[in-house]
Amino acid sequence: MPSSSLLSIGRHGATVEEMTVEVNKAKAALDTAEKDLRSLNTLNKALTQSLITRLQKWQEFRRHIALRCKHVFQYHLSNRGYYGKVLFDHINQTLQLKVRLLVVQTDDQTATQGRDKDPRSLSGGEKSFSTICLLLSLWDSIGCPLRCLDEFDVFMDAVNRRISMRMMIDTANASDKKQYILITPQDMNNIHIGQTVRVHRMTDPERGQATLPFS
C-alpha cells in the first residue's frame, strides 16, 4: 500500500488533519477547564477566608454587645443601690440574671452586700425594677426606633416607680430618633415628666358596659 494511502487512513477512518483538529479542540477544552478550576479554587479560598473573618468579627461584636449590656445593667441597678450581673451563655443560648441587694447594718451604719439572688426570689417591686433595668440595657444594644412597655409599674412601690420612670425618661431623652411608649394604669400626677414627654390620659371605662361607643 502506498505511503499516501497510509496518511489518509486514521483511527475510525478519520484523516490525520481531522484528528489534529480534534486533538487541538480537546486540548483547548482541557486548558479552559483547568483555568476555570483554578479560578474556582481561588474564589473558594477567598470566600472561605471572608467567612472566617466575618465570623470572627461577629463574635467580637457579640462580645462587645454583651459587655455593654452588663455595664448598662449594673449602672441602672446602682440607681436603686442594687448590684447585678447578666450572664450570657452564647453556646447554649441562655441568659441568666443575678441581683444583689444591699443590706444596711443599723449598729454602725455600714452597708454590706448580700448574696446573689435569683430574680424569681425577689419581691414584686424588686423584680419589676430589675426587669426595667434589663430592658433598658438590652434596648441600648438594639437599634429599634420604637419601644413600648405596658403596665410595667403595676407591682412597684412608690420609690421603685419614681426611680424607674426617671431612668426611662432620661434614657428616652438621651436616645436619638427613638420613641418610647409607656402604658400604665397608675396615676402620673406625682411623677415629674418634663417637657419632652406627652401624656395621653384615656377615659375611665364604664362598668357594666356591653358595647363600645363606636359609631
Side-chain angles (χ1 to χ4, degrees):
M1 182 179 296
S3 58
S4 59
S5 300
L6 292 175
L7 293 176
S8 62
I9 299 176
R11 186 179 301 176
H12 303 297
T15 63
V16 175
E17 290 79 5
E18 292 175 348
M19 294 180 62
T20 303
V21 172
E22 293 297 330
V23 169
N24 292 334
K25 289 182 179 180
K27 185 178 179 181
L30 178 61
D31 294 339
T32 303
E34 291 178 347
K35 182 179 179 181
D36 293 340
L37 180 60
R38 288 192 297 268
S39 299
L40 289 176
N41 288 333
T42 303
L43 178 61
N44 184 32
K45 292 180 181 179
L47 292 177
T48 302
Q49 184 61 38
S50 176
L51 180 61
I52 294 175
T53 303
R54 289 171 63 89
L55 183 60
Q56 292 174 349
K57 293 292 184 181
W58 174 75
Q59 291 175 347
E60 182 180 0
F61 186 63
R62 184 180 62 180
R63 286 194 297 268
H64 284 295
I65 291 179
L67 182 61
R68 180 177 179 84
C69 181
K70 293 178 181 179
H71 288 307
V72 175
F73 180 68
Q74 293 177 1
Y75 169 75
H76 288 309
L77 282 179
S78 64
N79 291 322
R80 190 67 178 90
Y82 298 164
Y83 174 79
K85 295 180 292 185
V86 183
L87 305 178
F88 289 91
D89 188 350
H90 299 298
I91 298 178
N92 297 320
Q93 298 182 356
T94 59
L95 176 66
Q96 186 178 7
L97 296 181
K98 294 293 183 180
V99 179
R100 181 179 299 175
L101 307 181
L102 295 181
V103 180
V104 179
Q105 302 291 339
T106 57
D107 51 355
D108 55 357
Q109 298 297 324
T110 58
T112 59
Q113 292 183 348
R115 295 182 302 174
D116 291 339
K117 288 187 176 182
D118 189 271
R120 291 173 294 184
S121 63
L122 298 175
S123 64
E126 295 168 349
K127 186 183 300 182
S128 299
F129 180 77
S130 301
T131 303
I132 294 298
C133 295
L134 176 62
L135 286 176
L136 291 177
S137 61
L138 292 176
W139 281 348
D140 188 72
S141 305
I142 300 175
C144 180
L146 191 63
R147 299 166 180 181
C148 304
L149 279 181
D150 184 17
E151 297 186 357
F152 60 92
D153 55 350
V154 173
F155 300 103
M156 288 186 182
D157 53 32
V159 177
N160 284 326
R161 183 169 180 265
R162 176 175 53 83
I163 297 177
S164 298
M165 289 297 301
R166 186 187 63 189
M167 286 194 315
M168 287 187 289
I169 292 175
D170 292 342
T171 302
N173 291 331
S175 301
D176 184 24
K177 297 180 180 180
K178 294 180 177 62
Q179 184 177 5
Y180 287 71
I181 301 176
L182 308 177
I183 304 175
T184 173
Q186 305 292 337
D187 188 12
M188 297 293 295
N189 293 329
N190 297 327
I191 302 297
H192 178 70
I193 57 179
Q195 299 180 354
T196 59
V197 181
R198 181 177 299 178
V199 178
H200 298 275
R201 179 178 175 83
M202 301 178 63
T203 58
D204 296 332
E206 298 181 5
R207 301 302 178 184
Q209 182 180 4
T211 59
L212 295 176
F214 293 155
S215 57

